[in-house]
Amino acid sequence: MVKEASAYLFQATENRLSIKNVKILIPLTWTLKTSYEASTKESYEKADIIISSPILKFGDSPYTAQYRGCGEQGEYIHLTPDYLLNANLSSVYGSPGNIGGLSTVLHNAVDKPLMPVALPHPRFSGVKVKYQCKFSIFADDGISMFADDTKLCKVTHKYISSNGLTQTLSFVSKCEQRSSERTFVHEWAHLRWGVFDEYSTEIPYYISKELKVEATRCSANLKGSNIIQECDEDGCSVRNCKVDAETGLYEQGCLFLPERVQNVQESIMYSAAIPSVSINQIISFCNDSNHVIEAPSLQNRMCNCHSTWDIIMTSTDIISTPPRSDTDLPLPTFTLMQSRRRVITLAIDISASMGPVQSVDNISGRFSRLLQGAEFFLTQIVETGAYVGIVEFYTFTFTNSELIQINNEKDRATLISLLPPKVANDGANICKGIHESLKVNKKLDGSTAGTEILLASDGDIDLAACTGDILASGAVIHTIALGFQTSKELEDIALMTGGQKHFVKDASKTHDIFYAFSALSSQNGNVTQQSIMLESKSANLEPEGCLNGTVFIDRTVGTSTFFLVNWQFAVPNIRLKDPKGTNYHEAQFNNNTNSNSSELQILLKAETGAWNYALCNNLKTKQLVGITATSKAAAENVPPITVKVHMNKDTNDYPDPMIIYASVHQGLLTLTNLRVTAIVEAESGNPTALELLDNGAGADVFKNDGVYSRYFTSFSQNGRYNLKVHVESKETETTLVLPTNHALYIPGYIENGPYTHYRVKTQDRNKTNIHPAVRGESMNPSRSALTEDDLRITVGRIGRTASGGSFLVNNMSTSPLPIIHKPCKIIDLEASAQGNSVFLFWTASGEDLDQGKVANAITKQNEMKSMCEQQ
């Protein structure tokens, strides 16, 4: 697939860009081979393309996770194994590559053609599949084919004759070269350049300035017919669409079928599936000369009516790459890589500044809280099978523990016992701590590439003294900055190595240390083995004061459920009640006076429902008390609901606004109908709470897509800010969301028209079914529509909390003036005619971007102008 895509991409970008190399990350669960290189910074979470099975049926449509604005890079492309191996899908989404298979209809060749099924990947001896047969058939698993350089296909077809016997039909036909590259380039344009589709499933037709009904497409010269398919117990037939007198558009259910033979070359962002037998293949993006500004496409809506090529031309890729005169492209190179067992060393700062400071903001000290977080990490977060070492550093370094593989709870306890016991009376040398940690990691197999360091410090660093060694090591370094005095270069270490960066402020009432450590799970994609943080909350309690709350255990979690209570001076009164009324008190918890913590591990699967807790301070003085709850997937085949959160950039120059993004997932699908709240904290001052929205307005690109977002403008000072989110469901049911940017499903093609109505009743092996087939068209099987019931999942009340790491703000003066941003653009204006009235619908923005409320809205009318012409 990628080889053909490289040449096609070069052509589509006017001789500029091609694919140079590809790294394929083999799952850890696959058998290790000597030909596999060890992965370094490559991970499942950072992949450009993810190949995995959908958790819903009918989910083989290629798509790109893309929830940012126009011209901004997407998250990843998703392809399923069935899409790559099932050649029947090539006629509806576009061929994935040279994988064989047949797709259209051979009429009247047999008495009873069988229903098309998933064809096997070509694995027959001597088969070289380079071409797709011009004529193809309904086939069963007995199909075989071969293709060679003579461009001939031999097809063997089994069928059921009129006497009920299985017969065989063989023939040789000329073959046509397959268009194996379009789907990839279509999705790559979504991912890399932030362009959008030029079709619309929501508004498939519109009325042009010439008062003609047109299909939403680009270019307008793409030929096709508008048909309705009607089926009954005797079969299916096709007719022309009728115009709805009320809307002026074609009737509901009308489909645009493109012709197989086209005289245009645009556009890749309309469809990747129009076959390569066209006189002119689809090899271009729409540009200014042929862009359809009237069409209600997502590209027009999101990119202010600019063509896809306009947007791509502004990308760094194109700006920095002039067209080449040499068209002799080398083939892409492929590197097979595989993750090894996780290797991570904790590098812990024990310098004097980490010790207790008796102040309002730092009662217990950074070191004490760091130890609590490290113990939590070793107990719950780091995965079984990982190798873990511990290094402490100040002016000097010491290896507390060489690498220990975690195989059981005893190994975890051993590592916890080897955490540093106290702080030193000297400053910190962070570079020495990094060097010592690299030595520990290297002892496993002689290399540090792909290993990890968790660096926690409040000190300063001369980064130039160790930058070379850090980059040469190939290690990933995650950083936790403790307090506002920590060097800003600590974040640079994380950025240059691909690690995470977190900030824990000194305020005694924060629980940020647990958020930071909980985010440091392995990124190998095996989420069912990871602990999910359900709740993390703390409060500085008055005497006899209580911290009350609820932890929700939904049906996707419940294994290895763990409750951790932290306290400042003494064990509080603990009351925890499960959904069946069983009570747990401090006596059932394991109380540790070294780390000032109390732990409860639920040995069996935790009861689904609400677990209510109350932590009460029984001292005569104030005491900081907190609780953290985690749990793992309910079963290996049930993806747990997880949360991902991040800012749109790592560093911001005031007064530019930033965007907070949070997505709630089960597997790769997102969930909507949730309440998501972001908490942003600067180095000092009170936190800012902001409800994130999934309403398709302001910073939120798509309504109800399971991605919640909001502009953030409440900057109070220069320096670090940390981000975390809380998620809770409004009801016991939530809804899975199908991706927005997926390849267009082509229902069929017009070929050798005009239409001749033709009914056919076809037979599956196990049941009788109806399959449409019309002479003059090639109709693909109807796409199985997912109902609301298919997407609605009942998992119980959901509660999650997660860290989004830290970010930096610069350029803010000591007395900044108020910044007033204009309201966001309205992007979802709709009009509906009812009788003699026209009703307008839109999602209102805020007064400042998406904050506050606008004072009023002004409506204007003009005659038959598209939204682009109005602009």
Side-chain angles (χ1 to χ4, degrees):
M1 174 179 70
V2 177
K3 290 180 180 179
E4 297 96 333
S6 180
Y8 185 63
L9 178 65
F10 184 72
Q11 190 176 21
T13 57
E14 299 181 356
N15 295 4
R16 287 179 173 88
L17 306 175
S18 60
I19 299 170
K20 184 176 181 180
N21 54 66
V22 180
K23 296 179 180 179
I24 301 175
L25 188 61
I26 305 298
L28 180 64
T29 53
W30 289 20
T31 303
L32 177 65
K33 294 184 179 180
T34 55
S35 59
Y36 296 162
E37 294 185 11
S39 63
T40 53
K41 298 177 183 178
E42 300 78 17
S43 70
Y44 181 89
E45 298 291 338
K46 296 178 181 178
D48 292 316
I49 303 168
I50 294 174
I51 300 174
S52 68
S53 299
I55 66 171
L56 285 179
K57 56 184 178 179
F58 319 125
D60 289 311
S61 173
Y63 70 87
T64 301
Q66 181 184 16
Y67 52 76
R68 307 190 197 213
C70 181
E72 297 189 57
Q73 189 163 332
E75 308 307 307
Y76 60 84
I77 296 169
H78 178 238
L79 305 174
T80 68
D82 273 352
Y83 169 75
L84 293 172
L85 301 179
N86 182 354
N88 280 340
L89 295 174
S90 66
S91 64
V92 293
Y93 296 122
S95 166
N98 293 334
I99 60 173
L102 306 170
S103 59
T104 57
V105 182
L106 177 68
H107 297 292
N108 295 337
V110 296
D111 292 344
K112 295 179 181 179
L114 301 177
M115 283 293 292
V117 297
L119 299 180
H121 187 279
R123 57 185 179 273
F124 311 104
S125 176
V127 173
K128 295 187 295 180
V129 183
K130 289 187 178 180
Y131 305 96
Q132 181 180 10
C133 286
K134 184 174 182 179
F135 300 105
S136 51
I137 56 177
F138 291 141
D140 67 1
D141 284 335
I143 193 168
S144 62
M145 64 176 289
F146 69 85
D148 58 25
D149 293 336
T150 64
K151 299 186 180 181
L152 294 178
C153 287
K154 179 179 179 181
V155 178
T156 301
H157 173 55
K158 292 184 178 181
Y159 65 96
I160 301 173
S161 64
S162 56
N163 61 8
L165 299 176
T166 299
Q167 303 290 338
T168 301
L169 172 68
S170 297
F171 63 91
V172 176
S173 172
K174 290 183 179 180
C175 295
E176 301 290 345
Q177 191 170 3
R178 301 185 68 170
S179 57
S180 60
E181 57 280 348
R182 297 176 189 153
T183 299
F184 184 96
V185 174
H186 174 98
E187 299 302 334
W188 186 256
H190 280 311
L191 176 74
R192 184 73 176 181
W193 302 309
V195 295
F196 294 86
D197 290 319
E198 290 171 330
Y199 68 87
S200 175
T201 55
E202 295 181 354
I203 314 175
Y205 293 96
Y206 66 98
I207 300 175
S208 70
K209 288 189 297 185
E210 290 77 21
L211 300 182
K212 292 174 57 179
V213 180
E214 294 282 359
T216 302
R217 66 196 190 281
C218 193
S219 73
N221 293 323
L222 195 68
K223 297 183 297 183
S225 297
N226 304 290
I227 62 99
I228 282 280
Q229 180 178 283
E230 297 175 331
C231 296
D232 56 29
E233 65 274 7
D234 296 321
C236 297
S237 64
V238 170
R239 63 169 173 82
N240 288 323
C241 297
K242 299 176 183 178
V243 174
D244 186 316
E246 186 173 333
T247 65
L249 301 172
Y250 286 130
E251 60 192 301
Q252 189 172 2
C254 185
L255 300 172
F256 176 76
L257 266 62
E259 294 185 5
R260 276 192 175 273
V261 178
Q262 298 287 343
N263 294 314
V264 295
Q265 298 181 341
E266 301 85 11
S267 165
I268 294 169
M269 296 313 294
Y270 172 72
S271 173
I274 298 176
S276 61
V277 296
S278 304
I279 294 173
N280 291 303
Q281 297 185 30
I282 302 298
I283 58 172
S284 302
F285 296 98
C286 270
N287 56 38
D288 283 345
S289 67
N290 48 42
H291 179 59
V292 185
I293 62 174
E294 293 181 287
S297 66
L298 198 56
Q299 173 65 22
N300 275 335
R301 194 182 92 185
M302 297 305 305
C303 295
N304 289 325
C305 304
H306 290 288
S307 70
T308 53
W309 185 240
D310 256 2
I311 302 304
I312 294 170
M313 284 289 288
T314 64
S315 69
T316 304
D317 292 340
I318 297 294
I319 292 173
S320 62
T321 311
R324 289 177 48 177
S325 57
D326 177 19
T327 58
D328 186 17
L329 293 177
L331 291 175
T333 60
F334 295 85
T335 305
L336 298 180
M337 314 187 81
Q338 188 174 38
S339 300
R340 303 296 191 257
R341 290 290 182 185
R342 191 180 192 189
V343 176
I344 184 168
T345 291
L346 278 61
I348 298 175
D349 186 345
I350 63 166
S351 61
S353 60
M354 291 287 292
V357 177
Q358 294 300 323
S359 68
V360 174
D361 282 340
N362 194 17
I363 298 174
S364 57
R366 296 164 184 165
F367 182 71
S368 175
R369 279 179 289 147
L370 177 56
L371 288 187
Q372 289 180 338
E375 183 173 331
F376 171 65
F377 176 78
L378 295 171
T379 303
Q380 291 299 311
I381 303 303
V382 68
E383 300 78 9
T384 298
Y387 290 87
V388 181
I390 300 173
V391 166
E392 62 180 53
F393 67 90
Y394 57 114
T395 303
F396 303 99
T397 62
F398 181 75
T399 298
N400 297 43
S401 174
E402 300 289 355
L403 293 175
I404 294 176
Q405 186 174 26
I406 297 178
N407 296 308
N408 48 47
E409 296 305 313
K410 182 180 178 181
D411 295 328
R412 295 181 186 273
T414 298
L415 286 164
I416 291 171
S417 70
L418 294 172
L419 288 169
K422 60 182 180 179
V423 297
N425 294 317
D426 210 339
N429 189 320
I430 295 177
C431 279
K432 282 188 176 181
I434 293 172
H435 283 133
E436 187 68 18
S437 300
L438 290 172
K439 289 180 184 178
V440 172
N441 286 354
K442 191 174 183 178
K443 290 180 181 178
L444 182 65
D445 60 8
S447 173
T448 57
T451 65
E452 299 172 70
I453 297 172
L454 200 170
L455 173 63
S457 176
D458 70 346
D460 201 0
I461 180 174
D462 178 13
L463 186 56
C466 51
T467 297
D469 292 336
I470 290 172
L471 294 176
S473 72
V476 176
I477 302 179
H478 313 288
T479 61
I480 300 177
L482 297 145
F484 69 94
Q485 295 173 321
T486 311
S487 171
K488 300 299 185 289
E489 289 183 305
L490 205 66
E491 280 84 355
D492 293 337
I493 296 174
L495 291 173
M496 74 171 64
T497 63
Q500 296 184 37
K501 49 189 177 52
H502 298 271
F503 163 57
V504 177
K505 63 185 298 183
D506 282 332
S508 61
K509 61 183 179 181
T510 65
H511 231 206
D512 296 338
I513 193 70
F514 298 105
Y515 280 93
F517 275 101
S518 70
L520 294 168
S521 297
S522 172
Q523 295 190 331
N524 63 8
N526 191 5
V527 70
T528 60
Q529 300 301 313
Q530 296 174 4
S531 291
I532 310 297
M533 191 155 71
L534 310 179
E535 172 84 320
S536 189
K537 188 180 294 185
S538 63
N540 207 357
L541 298 179
E542 298 287 344
E544 300 184 1
C546 295
L547 174 61
N548 300 298
T550 303
V551 175
F552 292 105
I553 305 290
D554 59 82
R555 290 187 176 90
T556 70
V557 293
T559 303
S560 300
T561 302
F562 178 77
F563 293 91
L564 172 66
V565 175
N566 299 100
W567 33 271
Q568 187 177 351
F569 301 120
V571 179
N573 290 331
I574 303 173
R575 297 192 298 274
L576 177 66
K577 181 185 289 188
D578 75 10
K580 288 192 173 181
T582 302
N583 288 294
Y584 301 87
H585 299 280
E586 58 270 21
Q588 279 88 36
F589 281 69
N590 178 27
N591 302 302
N592 186 334
T593 55
N594 292 325
S595 60
N596 288 12
S597 62
S598 302
E599 303 172 356
L600 176 66
Q601 183 82 55
I602 306 300
L603 298 179
L604 301 177
K605 186 177 181 299
E607 293 290 340
T608 300
W611 290 62
N612 297 307
Y613 63 84
L615 311 178
C616 297
N617 179 20
N618 54 8
L619 301 179
K620 294 182 179 180
T621 59
K622 292 176 67 174
Q623 171 172 234
L624 177 66
V625 173
I627 185 170
T628 298
T630 63
S631 191
K632 293 183 179 180
E636 287 190 3
N637 62 345
V638 179
I641 293 171
T642 59
V643 181
K644 296 179 181 179
V645 55
H646 63 93
M647 303 298 293
N648 65 321
K649 48 188 172 181
D650 296 308
T651 303
N652 188 59
D653 289 325
Y654 182 84
D656 291 347
M658 297 184 74
I659 302 176
I660 305 171
Y661 294 105
S663 52
V664 186
H665 298 259
Q666 187 181 25
L668 291 175
L669 293 184
T670 52
L671 283 76
T672 190
N673 195 32
L674 301 170
R675 184 180 293 109
V676 181
T677 304
I679 309 294
V680 182
E681 288 189 276
E683 293 176 350
S684 62
N686 294 322
T688 299
L690 187 65
E691 183 178 1
L692 306 185
L693 304 176
D694 189 14
N695 63 352
D700 194 64
V701 174
F702 299 112
K703 184 176 182 179
N704 294 331
D705 67 342
V707 179
Y708 304 77
S709 51
R710 202 81 179 268
Y711 281 104
F712 180 74
T713 59
S714 301
F715 306 109
S716 58
Q717 57 194 267
N718 289 320
R720 293 184 177 92
Y721 291 69
N722 68 31
L723 168 67
K724 49 186 176 282
V725 297
H726 298 289
V727 176
E728 57 181 328
S729 55
K730 303 171 186 177
E731 302 171 355
T732 57
E733 288 184 344
T734 188
T735 303
L736 294 169
V737 181
L738 294 178
T740 301
N741 293 301
H742 54 77
L744 177 62
Y745 186 98
I746 296 290
Y749 305 99
I750 303 300
E751 185 175 21
N752 301 325
Y755 304 127
T756 300
H757 298 288
Y758 176 73
R759 295 176 182 271
V760 59
K761 192 171 185 179
T762 60
Q763 181 177 327
D764 199 319
R765 291 189 200 85
N766 301 318
K767 63 181 180 179
T768 299
N769 204 344
I770 302 297
H771 185 81
V774 179
R775 191 186 305 279
E777 304 111 21
S778 294
M779 294 295 294
N780 292 312
S782 299
R783 189 180 191 183
S784 300
L786 290 168
T787 66
E788 290 186 6
D789 288 339
D790 291 323
L791 296 172
R792 188 180 298 113
I793 57 173
T794 304
V795 296
R797 291 286 299 274
I798 299 169
R800 295 290 187 275
T801 190
S803 171
S806 63
F807 60 93
L808 289 173
V809 174
N810 300 316
N811 200 38
M812 194 170 183
S813 65
T814 54
S815 55
L817 296 174
I819 299 298
I820 299 177
H821 299 279
K822 63 182 181 180
C824 291
K825 176 185 173 183
I826 294 170
I827 61 173
D828 61 351
L829 178 65
E830 295 180 6
S832 174
Q834 299 181 22
N836 294 325
S837 301
V838 175
F839 291 85
L840 302 179
F841 304 89
W842 71 90
T843 304
S845 64
E847 181 182 16
D848 295 326
L849 298 172
D850 54 11
Q851 312 290 314
K853 292 184 178 181
V854 294
N856 55 67
I858 300 172
T859 60
K860 294 183 179 181
Q861 172 185 332
N862 57 52
E863 298 177 2
M864 290 305 297
K865 286 190 176 181
S866 70
M867 60 178 180
C868 298
E869 291 174 310
Q870 293 173 36
Q871 292 177 20

